[in-house]
Amino acid sequence: MSETLPNPLQYRVDGPAGAPLLVLGPALGTTWHMWDRQMPELTRNWRVLRYDLPGHGGAPAHPATSVHELAMRLLAALESVEGSERFGYAGCSLGGAVGTQLALTHPHRLTSLALVSASPRHGTADEWRQTGVVVRSHGLDPVARSTPERWFTPGFTTVQTAIVDWAVQMVRTTDPGCYIAACEALAAFDVRDALPRLNVPTLVVAGAEDRVSPPADARALVAGIPDARLAMVPGASHLTPVERPGEVTELLLKHFSTVWQDSSATGAHTAAPAPLVDSPPPQSAAIAELTAADAPTGRPDPYDTGMRVRREVLGDAHVDRAAANADDFTGDFQDFLTRYAWGEVWSRPGLDRRTRSVVTLTALVARGHLDELAFHTRAALRNGLTPAEIREVLLQTAVYCGVPAANSAFAVAQRVVREETTPRQ
């Protein structure tokens, strides 16, 4: 099946026998338990394999000093897993780097890929080597103590103290030598020039407040990978699957289900997950999903394109309400909006959706359209603008649209941002 190395990674498999295989890769300093809150939904239709990095979670302390070696050790572990010839893969941070490596060197093994809190290059080599020096000199305690501010938003660390303590303990119990080796692996990892060769359907998930792998890194992945789309999760930092589990689960379900169904329709696979219609997906906060190239290559019916873009920007719930409220009097207007505003203008390639949101917010403030400002603030968050960036847009409008208009706009936007970024229980 695959090239093998000694010391295959430690793993566990959950889910129904005979179902398609989905592999979940952990972040540096975590164990496979970081994916616990995704498991109830994912194991309904997939066999899910979770693995530990060397020296993490009690795994044998056999250091790996390159991402390529980690990928090969994972393939070695898969040798003993039935039905692992092809699989979907989702990885967070270092786990995402392993998935990227697999997609570049063993693309025939992957059906689809999800990169969470990932980057084509994680920081700089000097930063990772300096971390290694700290661990050699002082052990993992300094790294563990800084974990909450690196992995989670301040609001989450205040409310979810038990989860934060668990995360700190995960780092403290990691083997220092294996942690240092993983730092060396990340120091050497740089696939920026190789991204155009990555031909696996890819979802890139980023926390809007991630400072370790910032949203700019996610956008670089989407810009470089030919078949990629971006999902920006507001109110989330680096360990997004832990901080916002419902949103991440929903995104993974949609991505992997769609790819398996599309592949099954073309005969590429002998099995596909059952349709996910018997239970609704988790309710999400604003999640932005962008295609790598939003403009269609041909000229499809602008209504179909418009409906897709309208739902991606405003959300299904908003569009469904508008459709439900349409009647003989307003139906033509809704059709006009979908075809012209969303199918002809919002779908043009000249501006990305973040920029279009900035323009839209400014225009709505200038004209005093506060009702539409509310749902376009929500759309701006879906399109990847952070609350801080929305604040700057509104400050700019205070100068050019007037202080009273901006004052009203701040009140509306503040309410929406609080609703969308308050941690869910």
Side-chain angles (χ1 to χ4, degrees):
M1 284 171 54
S2 69
E3 176 185 349
T4 60
L5 284 177
N7 307 319
L9 298 178
Q10 175 175 284
Y11 68 90
R12 64 173 290 172
V13 179
D14 300 277
L21 183 66
L22 177 60
V23 177
L24 301 181
L28 174 61
T30 73
T31 72
W32 62 43
H33 290 294
M34 68 161 285
W35 296 103
D36 279 354
R37 297 177 74 182
Q38 280 70 48
M39 295 301 290
E41 288 293 329
L42 293 182
T43 54
R44 291 178 60 248
N45 295 287
W46 286 278
R47 274 186 310 146
V48 179
L49 183 149
R50 292 177 288 170
Y51 66 88
D52 276 333
L53 297 166
H56 291 59
H62 300 302
T65 57
S66 73
V67 172
H68 179 265
E69 183 178 348
L70 287 171
M72 296 308 299
R73 289 192 186 184
L74 173 59
L75 291 179
L78 290 172
E79 292 281 4
S80 60
V81 178
E82 185 178 355
S84 63
E85 291 80 8
R86 300 202 73 202
F87 53 90
Y89 184 97
C92 181
S93 193
L94 177 54
V98 172
T100 304
Q101 183 69 40
L102 287 172
L104 289 171
T105 57
H106 293 76
H108 59 286
R109 300 292 298 272
L110 295 186
T111 60
S112 52
L113 177 66
L115 303 176
V116 183
S117 303
S119 173
R121 184 184 69 167
H122 292 262
T124 66
D126 286 344
E127 289 170 342
W128 287 110
R129 293 189 179 111
Q130 182 59 38
T131 300
V133 170
V134 170
V135 175
R136 285 188 184 94
S137 302
H138 305 287
L140 278 165
D141 188 64
V143 177
R145 284 188 280 107
S146 68
T147 291
E149 65 186 55
R150 289 184 294 108
W151 283 2
F152 304 117
T153 60
F156 186 88
T157 58
T158 300
V159 174
Q160 300 287 0
T161 54
I163 294 178
V164 172
D165 291 343
W166 161 79
V168 171
Q169 187 64 14
M170 272 196 301
V171 178
R172 281 201 175 109
T173 55
T174 299
D175 177 78
C178 289
Y179 194 97
I180 292 169
C183 289
E184 291 294 331
L186 286 170
F189 182 76
D190 186 349
V191 295
R192 289 174 294 177
D193 293 339
L195 292 179
R197 295 193 286 107
L198 202 158
N199 292 315
V200 177
T202 302
L203 171 69
V204 178
V205 180
E209 299 182 43
D210 188 353
R211 293 183 297 172
V212 178
S213 298
D217 289 2
R219 296 187 190 103
L221 287 168
V222 173
I225 299 171
D227 185 7
R229 56 196 179 99
L230 172 65
M232 192 73 65
V233 183
S237 187
H238 189 60
L239 217 60
T240 312
V242 175
E243 186 164 10
R244 302 305 285 263
E247 288 88 330
V248 172
T249 302
E250 181 180 352
L251 287 165
L252 296 182
L253 286 171
K254 181 177 180 181
H255 175 63
F256 289 109
S257 297
T258 300
V259 171
W260 272 98
Q261 289 164 3
D262 290 348
S263 299
S264 181
T266 61
H269 304 290
T270 58
L276 300 171
V277 296
D278 51 338
S279 69
Q283 294 298 311
S284 68
I287 300 174
E289 292 192 48
L290 310 179
T291 56
D294 290 321
T297 55
R299 289 288 294 175
D301 184 342
Y303 182 89
D304 295 334
T305 300
M307 183 57 71
R308 173 181 62 81
V309 175
R310 190 178 184 184
R311 287 185 178 277
E312 289 172 352
V313 173
L314 299 180
D316 288 337
H318 177 91
V319 177
D320 289 343
R321 282 195 300 271
N325 292 330
D327 54 21
D328 290 342
F329 186 72
T330 62
D332 287 345
F333 179 65
Q334 288 296 321
D335 182 84
F336 167 79
L337 287 178
T338 301
R339 291 178 183 276
Y340 181 68
W342 298 102
E344 294 287 351
V345 178
W346 270 87
S347 62
R348 288 175 62 84
L351 298 175
D352 61 28
R353 292 187 192 173
R354 282 170 46 83
T355 305
R356 291 189 187 279
S357 279
V358 170
V359 174
T360 302
L361 292 177
T362 304
L364 293 174
V365 174
R367 300 295 296 174
H369 299 309
L370 298 183
D371 287 342
E372 296 217 358
L373 179 65
F375 63 76
H376 270 286
T377 300
R378 195 167 280 110
L381 292 167
R382 292 174 66 91
N383 283 346
L385 287 177
T386 66
E389 289 170 328
I390 293 173
R391 180 188 65 220
E392 292 303 317
V393 172
L394 298 185
L395 281 171
Q396 191 82 0
T397 66
V399 177
Y400 293 96
C401 303
V403 171
N407 185 52
S408 298
F410 264 106
V412 171
Q414 181 187 50
R415 171 176 56 82
V416 172
V417 169
R418 282 178 174 173
E419 290 173 356
E420 298 299 332
T421 59
T422 299
R424 270 84 169 158
Q425 297 300 312

